């Protein structure tokens, strides 16, 4: 490529000039990238002071990638989440094994490194789900390193309107299979050591269930397909 054809990425500085935003606000791409413009930026303090600006970018772009900041521990990450969202939720309706690192801070799915996890909507199977989800990479992988982030609002817009309407009217059925194999055992899913009824502690809206063993079994639940957030779709 000739030098004259090289396009520089547009940058804009946040108030105070401590953080850069890329791309410019006029470009709606996911995710928008924020980096420290100077050394020593405290991400927790900066996020608390710029909460409204973060919310505006999140609403417009759908996701923000904070890159190059010093997040040295799960505790610091939790402080950052609190600065952005005020509350950390428990991992409920558990469907995959995770390790708790701090107060409502968990690892991603504990899964073999040589396996792939297909693209999915995080926590979409839950009866209630968080309005924001935060991820932090403290130990970069030695290979791969690719985590695609799609804009599900664009996926939604490409679905045939008649099909969208059917999902809105009928919802979708979630079938859970409990066990010690690929799925979680029933007691781990409900975080209980007792063998009592599990479903009420895991979900609501149960259609039917069939328990086959102490830690196995199945249940089904009818879920809402589409919900609009209080600040936009």
């Amino acid at each position: 490529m000739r030098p004259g054809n090289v396009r520089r990425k547009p940058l804009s500085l946040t108030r105070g000039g401590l953080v850069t935003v890329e791309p410019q606000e006029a470009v709606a791409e996911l995710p928008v990238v924020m980096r420290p413009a100077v050394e020593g930026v405290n991400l927790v303090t900066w996020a608390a002071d710029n909460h409204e600006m973060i919310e505006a970018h999140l609403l417009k772009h759908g996701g923000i990638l904070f890159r190059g900041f010093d997040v040295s521990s799960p505790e610091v990450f939790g402080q950052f989440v609190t600065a952005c969202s005020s509350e950390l939720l428990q991992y409920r309706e558990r469907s995959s094994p995770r390790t708790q690192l701090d107060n409502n801070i968990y690892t991603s799915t504990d899964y073999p490194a040589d396996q792939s996890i297909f693209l999915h909507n995080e926590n979409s199977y839950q009866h209630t789900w968080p309005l924001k989800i935060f991820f932090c990479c403290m130990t970069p992988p030695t290979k791969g390193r690719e985590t695609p982030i799609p804009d599900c609002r664009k996926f939604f817009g490409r679905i045939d309107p008649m099909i969208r309407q059917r999902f809105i009217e009928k919802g979708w059925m979630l079938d859970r299979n409990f066990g010690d194999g690929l799925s979680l055992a029933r007691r781990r899913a409900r975080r209980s050591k007792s063998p009592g009824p599990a479903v009420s502690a895991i979900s609501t809206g149960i259609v039917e269930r069939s328990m086959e063993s102490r830690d196995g079994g199945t249940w089904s639940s009818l879920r809402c397909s589409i919900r609009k957030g209080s600040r936009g779709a």
Side-chain angles (χ1 to χ4, degrees):
M1 181 179 291
R2 295 178 300 176
N5 293 333
V6 175
R7 297 181 61 186
R8 300 182 61 185
K9 292 184 178 180
L11 297 174
S12 63
L13 282 173
T14 60
R15 184 178 57 187
L18 297 179
V19 173
T20 63
V21 181
E22 167 188 345
Q24 291 181 341
E25 297 181 0
V27 182
E29 296 180 356
L30 173 71
V32 63
V33 182
M34 295 188 178
R35 308 174 190 265
V38 296
E39 292 185 4
V41 177
N42 186 306
L43 180 59
V44 175
T45 301
W46 180 86
D49 293 338
N50 294 271
H51 184 269
E52 292 185 1
M53 186 269 288
I54 292 175
E55 286 287 325
H57 278 289
L58 187 59
L59 180 63
K60 180 177 181 179
H61 298 280
I64 302 175
L65 173 60
F66 293 90
R67 175 158 288 173
F69 294 92
D70 183 17
V71 182
S72 57
S73 67
E75 292 80 8
V76 174
F77 178 59
Q79 294 170 9
F80 167 68
V81 174
T82 301
C84 293
S85 192
S86 75
E87 182 181 6
L88 282 74
L89 302 180
Q90 294 182 9
Y91 179 29
R92 300 184 183 276
E93 292 191 68
R94 300 183 174 208
S95 63
S96 60
R98 304 175 192 267
T99 302
Q100 186 166 351
L101 303 177
D102 197 47
N103 180 32
N104 291 336
I105 299 291
Y106 305 85
T107 62
S108 183
T109 299
D110 297 332
Y111 204 60
D114 61 344
Q115 299 296 315
S116 299
I117 298 178
F118 293 109
L119 199 63
H120 59 282
N121 286 326
E122 192 70 26
N123 289 116
S124 61
Y125 62 89
Q126 293 185 347
H127 188 263
T128 58
W129 57 83
L131 295 178
K132 301 184 184 73
I133 296 180
F134 296 79
F135 294 92
C136 178
C137 177
M138 300 185 65
T139 305
T142 57
K143 62 180 180 179
R145 308 185 182 189
E146 287 136 5
T147 302
I149 306 176
D151 190 338
C152 291
R153 298 172 297 186
K154 293 183 178 179
F155 276 101
F156 180 75
R158 296 178 64 179
I159 298 176
D160 183 278
M162 294 182 63
I163 297 177
R164 290 204 307 256
Q165 188 60 36
R166 290 188 64 188
F167 273 106
I168 292 174
E169 294 174 353
K170 296 180 177 296
W172 65 284
M173 183 68 72
L174 170 66
D175 291 325
R176 286 291 305 271
N177 297 288
F178 299 99
D180 290 324
L182 294 176
S183 181
L184 290 179
R186 182 163 55 98
R187 288 181 296 166
R188 290 189 64 188
R190 70 188 292 260
R191 298 184 63 200
S192 173
K193 296 182 180 180
S194 64
V199 177
S200 61
I202 300 173
S203 176
T204 58
I206 301 303
V207 175
E208 61 179 318
R209 60 171 174 160
S210 174
M211 295 300 179
E212 299 173 0
S213 65
R214 179 185 178 89
D215 282 335
T218 63
W219 60 256
S220 301
S221 176
L222 183 62
R223 298 298 169 94
C224 177
S225 298
I226 299 170
R227 288 184 179 176
K228 187 173 183 179
S230 59
R231 300 191 62 182

